[in-house]
Structure formats: C-alpha cells, structure tokens
Amino acid sequence: MASTTATDRFPSGIPSAVRLHGKVLDPSFLEAGDLILVALVKPGYFQKRIQKTQKHLFEWEHAQWHHALVSGGGMEVCEAVLSGVVATEYWDYMTGAHIFRVRRIKNATPEVRTKVAYYAATMARTSYGFGALLPIKTTIDNKDPWKRSMFRSRGVLCSQLYFEACMRAGVLLASIPPDRVSPAHLSASQEIADVPLHWLELKPRNRNTALREQDSLERFSFWPSSSSCPWPP
C-alpha cells in the first residue's frame, strides 16, 4: 500500500475525527464507478449477523464485507443507507473505524465506469430496500438465488445499488437477480478486480484549519450512518 503526504487537497476542510485518525484514502486513486467494500473493525450486532449469514456461502475473504459504496471519483460516493440512497463524501468512513476493499470493473473503458457512477447517482432519494433483506438471507441459506419469494421491495440495498448500476452500463457481475445480491457477491465477482489502496497522511492541524474542519464536520453530520444496516433479520 502506497502512502504519501497530504498537501492542501481538501479546501473545504477535514472533519476533526478524520484529522485525529491521521490518514485517509487518497482521493486521487479512486475513480468513478469503483466499488468500495466496507467493514467495521469492531462490527456491531447487525454487522455480525450479516457476516455470519454470508459465511454460509462464502469464505471470510468475501463474507466480512457488510456495506458497499459506489465511488463517484475522488471523495464522492453514493450509497444506500437506512434513509435511502444518498450522494455524499467519504468522510464518515475515514475515522479509522473501518477497513476497505476497492474494486474496479475489468476491461471496461472509463466511459463505462463513469456510467456506473452516473446510474447509481440517479437513484438518489430512492428508499432503502427493507423488503429485500429476508430474500437475500434465504438465497444465501438455500444457495438458490432464483427461488421465488413472497417479499418484494421497491427500494434498493447497498450492494444492489452497485449491481444494478453496472447492469444499466452493460456489465453483468453475476448470474443472480439484482435484489438478491449481497456485499459478499460483489467481493467474489470475477468481473471486477482489486485495486491497491493508497493512503494520504494528514498534517497536524493549526487553528485556522481546525475552524474549517469544525464547519465541515457540522455540514457532513447531516448524512445518516450506514453502519446500522439491519439485514439479515
């Protein structure tokens, strides 16, 4: 993993919790359409349930991931959280509480990958797919993604958001219905490849940067955290 020293790349400021951690994913290596898989270093109850369910079908390498973000390039991300699909920046995940795996579609042009980010962003304000939680668990438990379920959802889950955006861009990541896709499915897909992580070290702050960071923290605190993703029941 490469590590470089930060310059003034964040004119809008850096949240205090992020500055305290001392490093962030270098936004210069994150491209539009990248997949960012996320796991808490100390997962809570719901995250552990997700991991436990995914372990029924996947090795820990894939089962450990309980959330997925769609990169818009740089700090920009799009994700499905409990309040619905939102477009924001990655600060909530840069406090040292999470680990990451970044993946990029194989043999795809920048234009195709940009379309993935665009199609994900067009889903902003779509409701969260609570109705798909049980079907995903049943799919993994029974190892049958095509079994019909009485539960349907008009909303979207985090992994479904990326999967469907790829489909609209002409890329099929797995032979599975979009509403049955879990983060582990995305981790195991042979259609996307891992990208080495690059970290950016943050300089100690002075009084002026502290004021900007406090303002930034207040602005970004509006977005709800996805760490309490409730599936599976």
Side-chain angles (χ1 to χ4, degrees), residues 127-159:
S127 62
Y128 189 77
F130 291 100
L133 300 177
L134 185 58
I136 290 180
K137 184 178 185 301
T138 302
T139 289
I140 293 176
D141 289 345
N142 298 333
K143 302 180 182 180
D144 182 7
W146 300 102
K147 186 176 181 179
R148 296 186 63 182
S149 172
M150 61 180 293
F151 295 94
R152 302 291 294 177
S153 175
R154 294 183 178 180
V156 63
L157 298 175
C158 61
S159 45

mmCIF file of all heavy atoms in Angstrom, residues 127-159:
data_model
loop_
_atom_site.group_PDB
_atom_site.id
_atom_site.type_symbol
_atom_site.label_atom_id
_atom_site.label_comp_id
_atom_site.label_asym_id
_atom_site.label_seq_id
_atom_site.Cartn_x
_atom_site.Cartn_y
_atom_site.Cartn_z
ATOM 1 N N SER A 127 -35.842 4.846 -1.817
ATOM 2 C CA SER A 127 -35.958 4.313 -0.462
ATOM 3 C C SER A 127 -35.070 3.092 -0.264
ATOM 4 O O SER A 127 -34.634 2.446 -1.226
ATOM 5 C CB SER A 127 -37.414 3.949 -0.155
ATOM 6 O OG SER A 127 -37.873 2.938 -1.046
ATOM 7 N N TYR A 128 -34.798 2.781 0.998
ATOM 8 C CA TYR A 128 -33.976 1.616 1.329
ATOM 9 C C TYR A 128 -34.804 0.346 1.120
ATOM 10 O O TYR A 128 -35.999 0.313 1.417
ATOM 11 C CB TYR A 128 -33.507 1.704 2.775
ATOM 12 C CG TYR A 128 -32.482 0.668 3.151
ATOM 13 C CD1 TYR A 128 -31.152 0.806 2.747
ATOM 14 C CD2 TYR A 128 -32.825 -0.451 3.898
ATOM 15 C CE1 TYR A 128 -30.202 -0.136 3.085
ATOM 16 C CE2 TYR A 128 -31.879 -1.401 4.236
ATOM 17 C CZ TYR A 128 -30.575 -1.244 3.833
ATOM 18 O OH TYR A 128 -29.639 -2.189 4.163
ATOM 19 N N GLY A 129 -34.149 -0.715 0.644
ATOM 20 C CA GLY A 129 -34.860 -1.941 0.282
ATOM 21 C C GLY A 129 -35.077 -2.914 1.428
ATOM 22 O O GLY A 129 -34.598 -4.052 1.384
ATOM 23 N N PHE A 130 -35.826 -2.492 2.438
ATOM 24 C CA PHE A 130 -36.060 -3.372 3.586
ATOM 25 C C PHE A 130 -36.699 -4.697 3.171
ATOM 26 O O PHE A 130 -36.417 -5.744 3.751
ATOM 27 C CB PHE A 130 -36.951 -2.669 4.618
ATOM 28 C CG PHE A 130 -36.287 -1.516 5.316
ATOM 29 C CD1 PHE A 130 -36.537 -0.206 4.925
ATOM 30 C CD2 PHE A 130 -35.397 -1.730 6.352
ATOM 31 C CE1 PHE A 130 -35.937 0.863 5.572
ATOM 32 C CE2 PHE A 130 -34.780 -0.674 7.002
ATOM 33 C CZ PHE A 130 -35.052 0.632 6.614
ATOM 34 N N GLY A 131 -37.559 -4.654 2.157
ATOM 35 C CA GLY A 131 -38.252 -5.868 1.727
ATOM 36 C C GLY A 131 -37.348 -6.908 1.100
ATOM 37 O O GLY A 131 -37.755 -8.060 0.924
ATOM 38 N N ALA A 132 -36.123 -6.534 0.751
ATOM 39 C CA ALA A 132 -35.194 -7.486 0.126
ATOM 40 C C ALA A 132 -34.300 -8.179 1.139
ATOM 41 O O ALA A 132 -33.540 -9.088 0.775
ATOM 42 C CB ALA A 132 -34.325 -6.763 -0.908
ATOM 43 N N LEU A 133 -34.388 -7.804 2.405
ATOM 44 C CA LEU A 133 -33.482 -8.358 3.406
ATOM 45 C C LEU A 133 -33.681 -9.857 3.594
ATOM 46 O O LEU A 133 -32.721 -10.632 3.572
ATOM 47 C CB LEU A 133 -33.663 -7.630 4.743
ATOM 48 C CG LEU A 133 -33.396 -6.122 4.717
ATOM 49 C CD1 LEU A 133 -33.680 -5.510 6.084
ATOM 50 C CD2 LEU A 133 -31.953 -5.853 4.317
ATOM 51 N N LEU A 134 -34.920 -10.270 3.813
ATOM 52 C CA LEU A 134 -35.186 -11.690 4.037
ATOM 53 C C LEU A 134 -34.900 -12.539 2.802
ATOM 54 O O LEU A 134 -34.302 -13.620 2.912
ATOM 55 C CB LEU A 134 -36.627 -11.890 4.511
ATOM 56 C CG LEU A 134 -37.003 -13.327 4.893
ATOM 57 C CD1 LEU A 134 -36.076 -13.846 5.996
ATOM 58 C CD2 LEU A 134 -38.459 -13.396 5.353
ATOM 59 N N PRO A 135 -35.296 -12.101 1.577
ATOM 60 C CA PRO A 135 -34.951 -12.888 0.386
ATOM 61 C C PRO A 135 -33.447 -13.100 0.210
ATOM 62 O O PRO A 135 -33.024 -14.165 -0.232
ATOM 63 C CB PRO A 135 -35.535 -12.057 -0.763
ATOM 64 C CG PRO A 135 -36.688 -11.343 -0.154
ATOM 65 C CD PRO A 135 -36.237 -11.010 1.240
ATOM 66 N N ILE A 136 -32.628 -12.099 0.546
ATOM 67 C CA ILE A 136 -31.177 -12.272 0.433
ATOM 68 C C ILE A 136 -30.699 -13.338 1.410
ATOM 69 O O ILE A 136 -29.899 -14.213 1.064
ATOM 70 C CB ILE A 136 -30.448 -10.943 0.681
ATOM 71 C CG1 ILE A 136 -30.683 -9.979 -0.475
ATOM 72 C CG2 ILE A 136 -28.942 -11.185 0.847
ATOM 73 C CD1 ILE A 136 -29.992 -8.644 -0.311
ATOM 74 N N LYS A 137 -31.195 -13.276 2.643
ATOM 75 C CA LYS A 137 -30.809 -14.280 3.635
ATOM 76 C C LYS A 137 -31.236 -15.677 3.184
ATOM 77 O O LYS A 137 -30.473 -16.639 3.282
ATOM 78 C CB LYS A 137 -31.450 -13.962 4.995
ATOM 79 C CG LYS A 137 -31.024 -14.915 6.112
ATOM 80 C CD LYS A 137 -31.655 -14.520 7.418
ATOM 81 C CE LYS A 137 -31.120 -15.406 8.549
ATOM 82 N NZ LYS A 137 -31.384 -16.837 8.335
ATOM 83 N N THR A 138 -32.456 -15.778 2.655
ATOM 84 C CA THR A 138 -32.949 -17.073 2.180
ATOM 85 C C THR A 138 -32.125 -17.575 1.004
ATOM 86 O O THR A 138 -31.819 -18.771 0.898
ATOM 87 C CB THR A 138 -34.431 -16.953 1.771
ATOM 88 O OG1 THR A 138 -35.196 -16.487 2.887
ATOM 89 C CG2 THR A 138 -34.969 -18.301 1.311
ATOM 90 N N THR A 139 -31.758 -16.661 0.110
ATOM 91 C CA THR A 139 -30.927 -17.028 -1.039
ATOM 92 C C THR A 139 -29.604 -17.633 -0.595
ATOM 93 O O THR A 139 -29.166 -18.671 -1.108
ATOM 94 C CB THR A 139 -30.659 -15.779 -1.904
ATOM 95 O OG1 THR A 139 -31.860 -15.398 -2.557
ATOM 96 C CG2 THR A 139 -29.588 -16.063 -2.961
ATOM 97 N N ILE A 140 -28.954 -17.004 0.371
ATOM 98 C CA ILE A 140 -27.661 -17.495 0.847
ATOM 99 C C ILE A 140 -27.816 -18.800 1.622
ATOM 100 O O ILE A 140 -27.058 -19.748 1.434
ATOM 101 C CB ILE A 140 -26.973 -16.420 1.710
ATOM 102 C CG1 ILE A 140 -26.604 -15.223 0.832
ATOM 103 C CG2 ILE A 140 -25.730 -16.982 2.391
ATOM 104 C CD1 ILE A 140 -25.997 -14.067 1.593
ATOM 105 N N ASP A 141 -28.839 -18.862 2.485
ATOM 106 C CA ASP A 141 -29.052 -20.075 3.282
ATOM 107 C C ASP A 141 -29.355 -21.280 2.399
ATOM 108 O O ASP A 141 -28.852 -22.378 2.627
ATOM 109 C CB ASP A 141 -30.199 -19.865 4.270
ATOM 110 C CG ASP A 141 -29.829 -18.914 5.403
ATOM 111 O OD1 ASP A 141 -28.621 -18.660 5.572
ATOM 112 O OD2 ASP A 141 -30.739 -18.434 6.094
ATOM 113 N N ASN A 142 -30.186 -21.069 1.367
ATOM 114 C CA ASN A 142 -30.611 -22.179 0.498
ATOM 115 C C ASN A 142 -29.741 -22.350 -0.738
ATOM 116 O O ASN A 142 -29.920 -23.308 -1.495
ATOM 117 C CB ASN A 142 -32.067 -21.965 0.052
ATOM 118 C CG ASN A 142 -33.031 -21.951 1.214
ATOM 119 O OD1 ASN A 142 -32.769 -22.552 2.248
ATOM 120 N ND2 ASN A 142 -34.153 -21.266 1.051
ATOM 121 N N LYS A 143 -28.811 -21.394 -0.961
ATOM 122 C CA LYS A 143 -27.917 -21.425 -2.116
ATOM 123 C C LYS A 143 -28.690 -21.474 -3.436
ATOM 124 O O LYS A 143 -28.272 -22.123 -4.405
ATOM 125 C CB LYS A 143 -26.959 -22.625 -2.023
ATOM 126 C CG LYS A 143 -26.106 -22.611 -0.747
ATOM 127 C CD LYS A 143 -25.179 -23.811 -0.680
ATOM 128 C CE LYS A 143 -24.370 -23.790 0.624
ATOM 129 N NZ LYS A 143 -23.461 -24.933 0.733
ATOM 130 N N ASP A 144 -29.840 -20.802 -3.449
ATOM 131 C CA ASP A 144 -30.686 -20.783 -4.643
ATOM 132 C C ASP A 144 -31.210 -19.369 -4.874
ATOM 133 O O ASP A 144 -32.237 -18.975 -4.322
ATOM 134 C CB ASP A 144 -31.853 -21.754 -4.492
ATOM 135 C CG ASP A 144 -32.725 -21.801 -5.737
ATOM 136 O OD1 ASP A 144 -32.351 -21.183 -6.762
ATOM 137 O OD2 ASP A 144 -33.801 -22.444 -5.692
ATOM 138 N N PRO A 145 -30.526 -18.575 -5.696
ATOM 139 C CA PRO A 145 -30.935 -17.183 -5.906
ATOM 140 C C PRO A 145 -32.217 -17.029 -6.707
ATOM 141 O O PRO A 145 -32.794 -15.936 -6.742
ATOM 142 C CB PRO A 145 -29.745 -16.573 -6.642
ATOM 143 C CG PRO A 145 -29.144 -17.720 -7.372
ATOM 144 C CD PRO A 145 -29.307 -18.899 -6.448
ATOM 145 N N TRP A 146 -32.667 -18.091 -7.380
ATOM 146 C CA TRP A 146 -33.815 -17.972 -8.272
ATOM 147 C C TRP A 146 -35.115 -18.450 -7.637
ATOM 148 O O TRP A 146 -36.160 -18.403 -8.272
ATOM 149 C CB TRP A 146 -33.549 -18.754 -9.561
ATOM 150 C CG TRP A 146 -32.353 -18.232 -10.275
ATOM 151 C CD1 TRP A 146 -31.108 -18.768 -10.293
ATOM 152 C CD2 TRP A 146 -32.273 -17.028 -11.048
ATOM 153 N NE1 TRP A 146 -30.245 -17.988 -11.030
ATOM 154 C CE2 TRP A 146 -30.937 -16.920 -11.510
ATOM 155 C CE3 TRP A 146 -33.197 -16.041 -11.402
ATOM 156 C CZ2 TRP A 146 -30.513 -15.855 -12.302
ATOM 157 C CZ3 TRP A 146 -32.777 -14.983 -12.186
ATOM 158 C CH2 TRP A 146 -31.451 -14.897 -12.627
ATOM 159 N N LYS A 147 -35.067 -18.890 -6.389
ATOM 160 C CA LYS A 147 -36.287 -19.317 -5.711
ATOM 161 C C LYS A 147 -37.186 -18.119 -5.453
ATOM 162 O O LYS A 147 -36.744 -17.091 -4.959
ATOM 163 C CB LYS A 147 -35.945 -20.005 -4.383
ATOM 164 C CG LYS A 147 -37.148 -20.608 -3.688
ATOM 165 C CD LYS A 147 -36.731 -21.366 -2.434
ATOM 166 C CE LYS A 147 -37.927 -21.979 -1.750
ATOM 167 N NZ LYS A 147 -37.544 -22.753 -0.537
ATOM 168 N N ARG A 148 -38.477 -18.259 -5.793
ATOM 169 C CA ARG A 148 -39.406 -17.141 -5.651
ATOM 170 C C ARG A 148 -39.630 -16.808 -4.178
ATOM 171 O O ARG A 148 -39.594 -17.676 -3.307
ATOM 172 C CB ARG A 148 -40.739 -17.473 -6.325
ATOM 173 C CG ARG A 148 -40.635 -17.666 -7.825
ATOM 174 C CD ARG A 148 -41.992 -17.851 -8.438
ATOM 175 N NE ARG A 148 -42.834 -16.673 -8.273
ATOM 176 C CZ ARG A 148 -44.109 -16.601 -8.709
ATOM 177 N NH1 ARG A 148 -44.650 -17.636 -9.327
ATOM 178 N NH2 ARG A 148 -44.798 -15.502 -8.519
ATOM 179 N N SER A 149 -39.865 -15.537 -3.927
ATOM 180 C CA SER A 149 -40.112 -15.082 -2.566
ATOM 181 C C SER A 149 -41.380 -14.235 -2.540
ATOM 182 O O SER A 149 -41.705 -13.539 -3.500
ATOM 183 C CB SER A 149 -38.932 -14.238 -2.060
ATOM 184 O OG SER A 149 -39.231 -13.642 -0.815
ATOM 185 N N MET A 150 -42.101 -14.318 -1.417
ATOM 186 C CA MET A 150 -43.307 -13.519 -1.272
ATOM 187 C C MET A 150 -42.989 -12.079 -0.897
ATOM 188 O O MET A 150 -43.857 -11.214 -0.914
ATOM 189 C CB MET A 150 -44.218 -14.136 -0.192
ATOM 190 C CG MET A 150 -43.589 -14.191 1.179
ATOM 191 S SD MET A 150 -44.687 -14.935 2.417
ATOM 192 C CE MET A 150 -45.989 -13.702 2.497
ATOM 193 N N PHE A 151 -41.717 -11.824 -0.568
ATOM 194 C CA PHE A 151 -41.305 -10.485 -0.177
ATOM 195 C C PHE A 151 -40.705 -9.757 -1.379
ATOM 196 O O PHE A 151 -39.820 -10.280 -2.047
ATOM 197 C CB PHE A 151 -40.268 -10.541 0.949
ATOM 198 C CG PHE A 151 -40.811 -11.097 2.228
ATOM 199 C CD1 PHE A 151 -40.684 -12.444 2.521
ATOM 200 C CD2 PHE A 151 -41.441 -10.272 3.146
ATOM 201 C CE1 PHE A 151 -41.186 -12.967 3.700
ATOM 202 C CE2 PHE A 151 -41.941 -10.781 4.329
ATOM 203 C CZ PHE A 151 -41.813 -12.136 4.609
ATOM 204 N N ARG A 152 -41.214 -8.564 -1.648
ATOM 205 C CA ARG A 152 -40.703 -7.737 -2.727
ATOM 206 C C ARG A 152 -40.433 -6.340 -2.191
ATOM 207 O O ARG A 152 -41.035 -5.894 -1.217
ATOM 208 C CB ARG A 152 -41.703 -7.654 -3.888
ATOM 209 C CG ARG A 152 -42.080 -8.991 -4.486
ATOM 210 C CD ARG A 152 -40.921 -9.626 -5.226
ATOM 211 N NE ARG A 152 -40.548 -8.853 -6.392
ATOM 212 C CZ ARG A 152 -39.529 -9.162 -7.181
ATOM 213 N NH1 ARG A 152 -38.775 -10.219 -6.901
ATOM 214 N NH2 ARG A 152 -39.247 -8.420 -8.230
ATOM 215 N N SER A 153 -39.527 -5.625 -2.834
ATOM 216 C CA SER A 153 -39.198 -4.286 -2.384
ATOM 217 C C SER A 153 -39.023 -3.356 -3.572
ATOM 218 O O SER A 153 -38.458 -3.726 -4.598
ATOM 219 C CB SER A 153 -37.899 -4.300 -1.562
ATOM 220 O OG SER A 153 -37.517 -2.993 -1.215
ATOM 221 N N ARG A 154 -39.541 -2.140 -3.411
ATOM 222 C CA ARG A 154 -39.324 -1.108 -4.428
ATOM 223 C C ARG A 154 -38.078 -0.293 -4.120
ATOM 224 O O ARG A 154 -37.681 0.546 -4.907
ATOM 225 C CB ARG A 154 -40.547 -0.188 -4.498
ATOM 226 C CG ARG A 154 -41.814 -0.872 -5.007
ATOM 227 C CD ARG A 154 -42.952 0.115 -5.113
ATOM 228 N NE ARG A 154 -44.167 -0.519 -5.634
ATOM 229 C CZ ARG A 154 -45.325 0.106 -5.833
ATOM 230 N NH1 ARG A 154 -45.410 1.405 -5.532
ATOM 231 N NH2 ARG A 154 -46.368 -0.537 -6.293
ATOM 232 N N GLY A 155 -37.504 -0.541 -2.958
ATOM 233 C CA GLY A 155 -36.291 0.161 -2.570
ATOM 234 C C GLY A 155 -35.051 -0.552 -3.061
ATOM 235 O O GLY A 155 -35.122 -1.479 -3.868
ATOM 236 N N VAL A 156 -33.906 -0.111 -2.568
ATOM 237 C CA VAL A 156 -32.637 -0.670 -3.029
ATOM 238 C C VAL A 156 -31.686 -0.819 -1.846
ATOM 239 O O VAL A 156 -31.687 -0.005 -0.922
ATOM 240 C CB VAL A 156 -32.020 0.241 -4.123
ATOM 241 C CG1 VAL A 156 -31.690 1.615 -3.581
ATOM 242 C CG2 VAL A 156 -30.789 -0.404 -4.739
ATOM 243 N N LEU A 157 -30.896 -1.886 -1.859
ATOM 244 C CA LEU A 157 -29.863 -2.122 -0.858
ATOM 245 C C LEU A 157 -28.514 -1.649 -1.393
ATOM 246 O O LEU A 157 -28.359 -1.382 -2.582
ATOM 247 C CB LEU A 157 -29.791 -3.610 -0.509
ATOM 248 C CG LEU A 157 -31.047 -4.233 0.107
ATOM 249 C CD1 LEU A 157 -30.859 -5.731 0.285
ATOM 250 C CD2 LEU A 157 -31.372 -3.579 1.435
ATOM 251 N N CYS A 158 -27.517 -1.582 -0.507
ATOM 252 C CA CYS A 158 -26.213 -1.036 -0.895
ATOM 253 C C CYS A 158 -25.569 -1.824 -2.036
ATOM 254 O O CYS A 158 -25.077 -1.248 -3.006
ATOM 255 C CB CYS A 158 -25.280 -0.990 0.316
ATOM 256 S SG CYS A 158 -24.919 -2.602 1.061
ATOM 257 N N SER A 159 -25.586 -3.155 -1.931
ATOM 258 C CA SER A 159 -24.973 -3.988 -2.971
ATOM 259 C C SER A 159 -25.799 -3.978 -4.249
ATOM 260 O O SER A 159 -25.258 -4.023 -5.360
ATOM 261 C CB SER A 159 -24.782 -5.417 -2.458
ATOM 262 O OG SER A 159 -25.937 -5.872 -1.788
#
